[in-house]
Amino acid sequence: MKKWISPALLVITFILSAIGHYADWDHTLQFVLSAISVVFVAGFLGRATESVAHYAGQRLGGFLNATFGNAAELIIAFFLVKEGLFDMVKASLTGSIIGNLLLVLGLSIFAGGMKFKVQNFNVTLAGLNGSLMIVAVIALFVPAMFFNTHSITEKDTDVLSLVVAGLLIAAYMAWLIFSMITHKKYLADVTVDNEEELPNEHKPAWSMGRSVIYLILATVMVAFVSEWLVGTLETLTERFGFSELFVGAFLVAIIGNAAEHSAAIMLAMKNKIGAAVEIAVGSSLQIALFVAPVLIFASYFMGNTMDIVFTTIEIVAIAVAVFIAKSIIQDGATNWYEGLLLLAVYMILGVSFYLV
């Protein structure tokens, strides 16, 4: 009976969200239904990805989990770009980065630390992840500095944005080659002599074929629900007086990060903190080095280029998240108190964004 509850809720919330959208129900109700549906669909996406990851291996699995976990954010952001809501796109990208680095990573480290006193992972990988995060901050800071000091024109800013986006995509592709192919063993995760937490690990719920089919189905469902959700955001911000910054950086980001939340926390509690860090940090890197640049190119081909100039508040929030996350993971060991520190910083930023 229990195993049918989650699929039933997934189908029911998806159907209700569809009816609400096409029957043009009240926009606040549509937002609530779509948000609940996104959470269930993201959870389904997370389970499908985790099942595929079982067959693909832990490092590749972590990458797949981060990639498909970001499908919701990417699709939501694509529809926002299509609507020309560039400020909300940048806010949602900011929220995804700080949400993964502070909320997802913080909850994972805290949950894992409550069960295991100290958890270890590859210190070299932690250092490289930290360096890549700093590159992402530089890529956001430089265009904003040149634009805000009027050193370059608006047209030049679009050109600079496209160049920076291209370089970030190239850097991300090179990182995948480095981490997945040329230095795969060098960055292998720390082995853990603890088998008691893996009683059903070797028996995933679905076969490889079914897992791939469910992965595709979940991604399609995310695409539909994301479009319905985006259609309600403007009304929501006007009705409740929320700023686009708060809606994009926290509401949309938290909803879109549901898949990473569940997967990373479960892995940390199984003493697989390396995989949890790979999902949380890897997802932030993917947003900054791949998703944001892809959206810039997408907007260019739509005829209205979105620049890479983020606001001072957004850059500071990302820089703060990167600074604290890098300082905590750089030694390759974590405990519950470090997770609590990440969550405290996230709450500070959350209240600050709400008051903007």
Side-chain angles (χ1 to χ4, degrees):
M1 181 66 183
K2 286 183 180 179
K3 71 177 183 177
W4 293 107
I5 293 175
S6 184
L9 289 173
L10 169 70
V11 173
I12 291 168
T13 55
F14 183 81
I15 291 172
L16 283 175
S17 183
I19 294 171
H21 173 75
Y22 291 111
D24 198 24
W25 288 355
D26 178 77
H27 276 209
T28 304
L29 179 59
Q30 281 189 52
F31 173 80
V32 172
L33 289 173
S34 297
I36 294 171
S37 183
V38 165
V39 171
F40 280 106
V41 173
F44 176 43
L45 186 66
R47 282 192 65 201
T49 308
E50 192 177 8
S51 187
V52 172
H54 174 86
Y55 298 101
Q58 188 162 308
R59 289 242 43 234
L60 182 57
F63 168 72
L64 287 172
N65 213 315
T67 301
F68 282 93
N70 281 335
E73 286 100 316
L74 177 59
I75 295 166
I76 290 172
F78 178 79
F79 286 115
L80 289 171
V81 166
K82 193 176 175 183
E83 295 289 326
L85 300 170
F86 294 158
D87 289 341
M88 196 174 285
V89 172
K90 292 173 187 176
S92 69
L93 293 174
T94 300
S96 293
I97 293 169
I98 65 177
N100 280 302
L101 287 179
L102 299 177
L103 180 62
V104 179
L105 185 60
L107 283 173
S108 300
I109 292 174
F110 181 78
M114 293 300 287
K115 190 172 181 182
F116 304 96
K117 194 170 184 179
V118 177
Q119 294 182 295
N120 298 291
F121 57 99
N122 190 301
V123 68
T124 307
L125 179 61
L128 285 167
N129 277 331
S131 299
L132 277 169
M133 287 190 289
I134 290 173
V135 168
V137 172
I138 292 170
L140 297 179
F141 174 75
V142 171
M145 182 189 69
F146 276 84
F147 179 75
N148 291 327
T149 56
H150 307 290
S151 301
I152 57 177
T153 64
E154 197 167 322
K155 187 177 180 182
D156 291 335
T157 305
D158 290 344
V159 174
L160 179 60
S161 297
L162 291 168
V163 170
V164 171
L167 289 171
L168 288 178
I169 290 173
Y172 186 67
M173 292 303 170
W175 166 245
L176 293 183
I177 293 169
F178 178 84
S179 61
M180 299 288 183
I181 301 173
T182 63
H183 288 68
K184 185 178 179 180
K185 291 183 179 178
Y186 179 60
L187 300 177
D189 197 15
V190 175
T191 54
V192 182
D193 296 325
N194 191 348
E195 298 298 325
E196 57 88 18
E197 76 280 11
L198 308 173
N200 301 312
E201 187 89 340
H202 302 292
K203 292 182 179 179
W206 306 315
S207 66
M208 179 62 174
R210 183 180 288 189
S211 299
V212 171
I213 291 170
Y214 284 168
L215 196 58
I216 295 168
L217 176 63
T219 306
V220 172
M221 291 174 75
V222 165
F224 277 105
V225 180
S226 300
E227 185 177 11
W228 303 334
L229 182 72
V230 166
T232 67
L233 291 179
E234 278 192 286
T235 305
L236 189 78
T237 54
E238 291 172 10
R239 185 173 293 179
F240 293 97
F242 295 143
S243 66
E244 286 191 356
L245 189 63
F246 177 74
V247 172
F250 283 83
L251 293 185
V252 173
I254 289 173
I255 293 164
N257 279 333
E260 287 101 321
H261 290 171
S262 56
I265 293 168
M266 285 191 293
L267 285 165
M269 293 183 72
K270 292 177 180 178
N271 209 15
K272 289 188 171 186
I273 193 64
V277 170
E278 186 73 19
I279 290 171
V281 177
S283 187
S284 291
L285 289 174
Q286 197 172 75
I287 291 287
L289 303 181
F290 185 74
V291 173
V294 163
L295 290 170
I296 289 168
F297 279 111
S299 67
Y300 170 75
F301 288 116
M302 288 178 191
N304 185 17
T305 305
M306 179 181 77
D307 60 47
I308 202 169
V309 177
F310 282 59
T311 66
T312 304
I313 292 173
E314 290 165 343
I315 293 172
V316 168
I318 292 171
V320 164
V322 167
F323 174 74
I324 185 67
K326 185 179 186 303
S327 66
I328 280 175
I329 66 171
Q330 65 185 358
D331 61 351
T334 62
N335 54 67
W336 69 264
Y337 185 67
E338 290 178 328
L340 195 65
L341 292 178
L342 290 172
L343 293 173
V345 175
Y346 186 72
M347 286 186 278
I348 291 170
L349 289 175
V351 173
S352 302
F353 274 53
Y354 177 75
L355 295 173
V356 170

